[in-house]
Amino acid sequence: MSKAQLTAFIVKVDAEAALKARVDAAGSVDAVVAIALEQGHVFSPASWSRAQRA
């Protein structure tokens, strides 16, 4: 649940259109966290929520 993992995932999402589409279509924060886990990034739903508010 590190900030580095979250940051790396956000950079990856910004760089890959297909991944960005999956994240945008995710129906919940938990779904986004599951997508991140598939991509090898581990962080909490709360971390994702905080990053989206910033």
Side-chain angles (χ1 to χ4, degrees):
M1 289 193 243
S2 75
K3 184 173 178 161
Q5 288 284 314
L6 175 61
T7 301
F9 180 67
I10 291 170
V11 168
K12 189 171 188 176
V13 168
D14 288 342
E16 297 181 21
L19 183 57
K20 182 168 180 41
R22 284 185 68 200
V23 169
D24 289 345
S28 68
V29 173
D30 290 333
V32 172
V33 171
I35 293 167
L37 186 58
E38 289 173 8
Q39 299 293 315
H41 302 279
V42 179
F43 51 84
S44 69
S47 294
W48 179 258
S49 294
R50 280 191 302 274
Q52 296 308 296
R53 287 192 301 259

